[in-house]
Short mmCIF file of all heavy atoms in Angstrom, two decimals:
data_model
loop_
_atom_site.label_atom_id
_atom_site.label_comp_id
_atom_site.label_asym_id
_atom_site.label_seq_id
_atom_site.Cartn_x
_atom_site.Cartn_y
_atom_site.Cartn_z
N SER A 4 0.82 -1.25 0.04
CA SER A 4 0.00 -0.03 -0.02
C SER A 4 0.85 1.23 0.00
O SER A 4 0.55 2.19 -0.73
CB SER A 4 -0.99 0.01 1.18
OG SER A 4 -0.30 -0.07 2.42
N GLN A 5 1.90 1.37 0.76
CA GLN A 5 2.73 2.51 0.78
C GLN A 5 3.41 2.77 -0.54
O GLN A 5 3.62 3.90 -0.95
CB GLN A 5 3.74 2.54 1.94
CG GLN A 5 4.81 1.49 1.84
CD GLN A 5 5.63 1.42 3.10
OE1 GLN A 5 5.08 1.17 4.20
NE2 GLN A 5 6.89 1.56 2.96
N VAL A 6 3.83 1.70 -1.21
CA VAL A 6 4.40 1.80 -2.53
C VAL A 6 3.33 2.31 -3.58
O VAL A 6 3.62 3.21 -4.37
CB VAL A 6 5.01 0.50 -3.01
CG1 VAL A 6 5.58 0.63 -4.42
CG2 VAL A 6 6.13 0.08 -2.05
N ARG A 7 2.08 1.79 -3.48
CA ARG A 7 1.06 2.22 -4.36
C ARG A 7 0.78 3.73 -4.16
O ARG A 7 0.58 4.48 -5.06
CB ARG A 7 -0.24 1.41 -4.12
CG ARG A 7 -0.12 -0.03 -4.53
CD ARG A 7 -1.40 -0.75 -4.53
NE ARG A 7 -2.29 -0.62 -3.46
CZ ARG A 7 -2.35 -1.44 -2.39
NH1 ARG A 7 -1.55 -2.46 -2.35
NH2 ARG A 7 -3.20 -1.28 -1.45
N GLU A 8 0.72 4.15 -2.89
CA GLU A 8 0.52 5.54 -2.53
C GLU A 8 1.61 6.40 -3.20
O GLU A 8 1.25 7.45 -3.81
CB GLU A 8 0.54 5.78 -1.03
CG GLU A 8 -0.67 5.26 -0.35
CD GLU A 8 -1.93 6.16 -0.46
OE1 GLU A 8 -1.84 7.27 -1.02
OE2 GLU A 8 -2.99 5.76 -0.02
N SER A 9 2.81 5.97 -3.10
CA SER A 9 3.94 6.69 -3.69
C SER A 9 3.81 6.76 -5.20
O SER A 9 4.03 7.77 -5.86
CB SER A 9 5.22 6.05 -3.26
OG SER A 9 6.34 6.69 -3.85
N ILE A 10 3.50 5.61 -5.83
CA ILE A 10 3.38 5.56 -7.29
C ILE A 10 2.31 6.58 -7.74
O ILE A 10 2.56 7.38 -8.69
CB ILE A 10 3.00 4.17 -7.74
CG1 ILE A 10 4.19 3.21 -7.58
CG2 ILE A 10 2.43 4.14 -9.21
CD1 ILE A 10 3.83 1.71 -7.72
N PHE A 11 1.15 6.54 -7.17
CA PHE A 11 0.05 7.44 -7.64
C PHE A 11 0.35 8.93 -7.24
O PHE A 11 -0.10 9.84 -7.95
CB PHE A 11 -1.33 7.00 -7.15
CG PHE A 11 -1.71 5.79 -8.01
CD1 PHE A 11 -1.57 4.45 -7.54
CD2 PHE A 11 -2.31 6.00 -9.23
CE1 PHE A 11 -1.91 3.41 -8.37
CE2 PHE A 11 -2.71 4.96 -10.06
CZ PHE A 11 -2.52 3.66 -9.60
N SER A 12 1.06 9.15 -6.20
CA SER A 12 1.46 10.51 -5.87
C SER A 12 2.38 11.11 -6.94
O SER A 12 2.15 12.22 -7.42
CB SER A 12 2.12 10.55 -4.50
OG SER A 12 2.57 11.83 -4.16
N VAL A 13 3.39 10.28 -7.31
CA VAL A 13 4.27 10.79 -8.35
C VAL A 13 3.52 10.92 -9.64
O VAL A 13 3.69 11.93 -10.36
CB VAL A 13 5.50 9.81 -8.50
CG1 VAL A 13 6.27 10.13 -9.77
CG2 VAL A 13 6.40 9.86 -7.26
N LEU A 14 2.76 9.92 -10.01
CA LEU A 14 1.95 9.93 -11.25
C LEU A 14 1.08 11.18 -11.32
O LEU A 14 0.97 11.87 -12.35
CB LEU A 14 1.20 8.68 -11.40
CG LEU A 14 0.58 8.36 -12.75
CD1 LEU A 14 1.61 8.39 -13.88
CD2 LEU A 14 -0.13 7.02 -12.77
N TYR A 15 0.40 11.50 -10.20
CA TYR A 15 -0.50 12.66 -10.22
C TYR A 15 0.30 13.97 -10.41
O TYR A 15 -0.20 14.90 -10.97
CB TYR A 15 -1.23 12.71 -8.85
CG TYR A 15 -2.39 13.76 -8.93
CD1 TYR A 15 -3.51 13.52 -9.63
CD2 TYR A 15 -2.28 14.87 -8.16
CE1 TYR A 15 -4.53 14.48 -9.65
CE2 TYR A 15 -3.28 15.84 -8.15
CZ TYR A 15 -4.36 15.63 -8.88
OH TYR A 15 -5.35 16.58 -8.94
N SER A 16 1.55 13.99 -9.95
CA SER A 16 2.38 15.25 -10.12
C SER A 16 2.80 15.37 -11.56
O SER A 16 3.21 16.47 -12.02
CB SER A 16 3.58 15.19 -9.22
OG SER A 16 4.56 14.31 -9.63
N ILE A 17 2.81 14.25 -12.36
CA ILE A 17 3.26 14.28 -13.75
C ILE A 17 2.06 14.52 -14.72
O ILE A 17 2.21 15.15 -15.76
CB ILE A 17 3.92 12.94 -14.13
CG1 ILE A 17 5.14 12.74 -13.25
CG2 ILE A 17 4.29 12.90 -15.57
CD1 ILE A 17 5.75 11.34 -13.32
N THR A 18 0.89 13.92 -14.42
CA THR A 18 -0.21 13.95 -15.39
C THR A 18 -1.53 13.94 -14.61
O THR A 18 -1.61 13.54 -13.45
CB THR A 18 -0.16 12.76 -16.32
OG1 THR A 18 -1.17 12.90 -17.37
CG2 THR A 18 -0.34 11.42 -15.65
N ASP A 19 -2.57 14.34 -15.29
CA ASP A 19 -3.90 14.19 -14.70
C ASP A 19 -4.47 12.86 -15.11
O ASP A 19 -3.95 12.22 -16.02
CB ASP A 19 -4.85 15.37 -15.05
CG ASP A 19 -5.18 15.37 -16.56
OD1 ASP A 19 -4.39 14.82 -17.35
OD2 ASP A 19 -6.15 16.06 -16.94
N PHE A 20 -5.51 12.36 -14.43
CA PHE A 20 -5.99 11.03 -14.70
C PHE A 20 -7.36 11.07 -15.48
O PHE A 20 -7.71 10.09 -16.07
CB PHE A 20 -6.30 10.32 -13.39
CG PHE A 20 -5.08 10.14 -12.46
CD1 PHE A 20 -5.22 9.68 -11.14
CD2 PHE A 20 -3.79 10.40 -12.92
CE1 PHE A 20 -4.15 9.49 -10.34
CE2 PHE A 20 -2.68 10.21 -12.09
CZ PHE A 20 -2.88 9.75 -10.83
N GLU A 21 -7.96 12.25 -15.50
CA GLU A 21 -9.29 12.35 -16.19
C GLU A 21 -9.15 12.01 -17.68
O GLU A 21 -8.27 12.51 -18.37
CB GLU A 21 -9.83 13.79 -15.98
CG GLU A 21 -11.27 13.88 -16.36
CD GLU A 21 -11.76 15.30 -16.10
OE1 GLU A 21 -11.31 15.96 -15.14
OE2 GLU A 21 -12.69 15.73 -16.83
N LYS A 22 -10.13 11.16 -18.15
CA LYS A 22 -10.20 10.74 -19.54
C LYS A 22 -8.92 10.06 -20.00
O LYS A 22 -8.62 10.07 -21.21
CB LYS A 22 -10.55 11.93 -20.41
CG LYS A 22 -11.92 12.52 -20.09
CD LYS A 22 -12.32 13.57 -21.08
CE LYS A 22 -13.68 14.01 -20.65
NZ LYS A 22 -14.28 15.04 -21.42
N LYS A 23 -8.22 9.42 -19.09
CA LYS A 23 -6.95 8.78 -19.44
C LYS A 23 -7.13 7.22 -19.28
O LYS A 23 -7.95 6.75 -18.58
CB LYS A 23 -5.83 9.22 -18.53
CG LYS A 23 -5.44 10.69 -18.62
CD LYS A 23 -4.65 11.01 -19.87
CE LYS A 23 -4.37 12.47 -20.06
NZ LYS A 23 -3.22 13.00 -19.37
N SER A 24 -6.24 6.49 -20.00
CA SER A 24 -6.27 5.10 -19.98
C SER A 24 -5.02 4.49 -19.32
O SER A 24 -3.97 5.10 -19.35
CB SER A 24 -6.35 4.50 -21.43
OG SER A 24 -5.26 4.97 -22.18
N PHE A 25 -5.22 3.35 -18.69
CA PHE A 25 -4.14 2.73 -17.84
C PHE A 25 -4.08 1.25 -18.17
O PHE A 25 -5.12 0.62 -18.19
CB PHE A 25 -4.48 2.97 -16.33
CG PHE A 25 -3.44 2.57 -15.34
CD1 PHE A 25 -2.56 3.51 -14.82
CD2 PHE A 25 -3.29 1.25 -15.03
CE1 PHE A 25 -1.66 3.14 -13.93
CE2 PHE A 25 -2.31 0.90 -14.05
CZ PHE A 25 -1.51 1.81 -13.53
N LEU A 26 -2.91 0.72 -18.41
CA LEU A 26 -2.73 -0.67 -18.64
C LEU A 26 -1.92 -1.27 -17.54
O LEU A 26 -0.78 -0.80 -17.27
CB LEU A 26 -2.02 -0.93 -19.98
CG LEU A 26 -1.62 -2.43 -20.22
CD1 LEU A 26 -2.82 -3.28 -20.33
CD2 LEU A 26 -0.76 -2.52 -21.48
N ASP A 27 -2.46 -2.27 -16.85
CA ASP A 27 -1.74 -3.06 -15.81
C ASP A 27 -1.29 -4.29 -16.64
O ASP A 27 -2.02 -5.25 -16.79
CB ASP A 27 -2.69 -3.40 -14.67
CG ASP A 27 -2.01 -4.00 -13.53
OD1 ASP A 27 -0.85 -4.38 -13.64
OD2 ASP A 27 -2.63 -4.09 -12.44
N ALA A 28 -0.02 -4.24 -17.09
CA ALA A 28 0.47 -5.23 -18.08
C ALA A 28 0.72 -6.58 -17.51
O ALA A 28 0.76 -7.53 -18.29
CB ALA A 28 1.75 -4.62 -18.72
N PHE A 29 1.04 -6.73 -16.26
CA PHE A 29 1.21 -8.08 -15.62
C PHE A 29 0.34 -8.00 -14.36
O PHE A 29 0.85 -7.86 -13.23
CB PHE A 29 2.70 -8.26 -15.25
CG PHE A 29 3.57 -8.34 -16.46
CD1 PHE A 29 4.10 -7.17 -17.04
CD2 PHE A 29 3.91 -9.58 -17.06
CE1 PHE A 29 4.92 -7.26 -18.14
CE2 PHE A 29 4.74 -9.66 -18.14
CZ PHE A 29 5.24 -8.47 -18.72
N ALA A 30 -0.95 -8.16 -14.54
CA ALA A 30 -1.94 -7.71 -13.49
C ALA A 30 -1.79 -8.48 -12.16
O ALA A 30 -1.97 -7.81 -11.14
CB ALA A 30 -3.32 -7.87 -14.08
N GLY A 31 -1.66 -9.72 -12.15
CA GLY A 31 -1.64 -10.51 -10.87
C GLY A 31 -2.94 -10.22 -10.13
O GLY A 31 -4.00 -10.45 -10.67
N SER A 32 -2.87 -9.69 -8.92
CA SER A 32 -4.07 -9.37 -8.20
C SER A 32 -4.93 -8.22 -8.78
O SER A 32 -6.07 -8.12 -8.52
CB SER A 32 -3.68 -8.97 -6.75
OG SER A 32 -3.06 -7.70 -6.74
N GLY A 33 -4.26 -7.41 -9.62
CA GLY A 33 -4.97 -6.31 -10.20
C GLY A 33 -4.97 -5.03 -9.39
O GLY A 33 -5.54 -4.02 -9.73
#
């Protein structure tokens, strides 16, 4: 969870999420 929080925090600082697509390429649990 803390790594996910970090990932989305950095991602949010780079781009917005609205009307965007996301690929989880090796999904596992998803």
Side-chain angles (χ1 to χ4, degrees):
S4 60
Q5 68 190 55
V6 176
R7 294 192 312 266
E8 287 283 354
S9 180
I10 289 167
F11 283 97
S12 176
V13 169
L14 193 55
Y15 190 72
S16 73
I17 298 170
T18 188
D19 63 343
F20 301 169
E21 191 177 331
K22 297 187 180 178
K23 299 279 176 87
S24 58
F25 187 100
L26 172 64
D27 191 346
F29 296 85
S32 69

